[in-house]
Amino acid sequence: MEDELAQRNIYDNEIFFEGYKKIRDNKINANNLFEIPALFSMLPDLKNKRVLDVRWIWRTL
């Protein structure tokens, strides 16, 4: 099943990923300008809190 998922993951395509990486490496990109500020505006105050990154856990299951 893992091989099947990897074949469907566009980020595993080297040509696509290189183009995507160039866009993301640019400081002026949609993620930095819109997505991250929108996400952080929805979060409560996290000062002195611990945060669990569930993406890492999901990938290891």
Side-chain angles (χ1 to χ4, degrees):
M1 181 171 173
E2 188 174 322
D3 291 337
E4 184 180 317
L5 290 175
Q7 290 174 359
R8 294 188 314 201
N9 188 344
I10 189 69
Y11 297 97
D12 290 336
N13 178 302
E14 290 182 29
I15 295 170
F16 174 85
F17 186 74
E18 284 304 315
Y20 171 78
K21 191 170 177 330
K22 285 179 187 175
I23 292 170
R24 287 299 302 266
D25 288 346
N26 185 346
K27 291 187 184 219
I28 303 172
N29 63 55
N31 191 55
N32 291 340
L33 293 174
F34 308 111
E35 296 171 11
I36 290 176
L39 174 67
F40 278 90
S41 74
M42 294 185 276
L43 293 173
D45 182 14
L46 298 174
K47 187 180 272 186
N48 299 318
K49 305 279 187 205
R50 292 181 174 178
V51 177
L52 174 64
D53 184 350
V54 293
R55 294 175 304 160
W56 182 84
I57 292 172
W58 180 256
R59 291 178 185 166
T60 61
L61 295 177

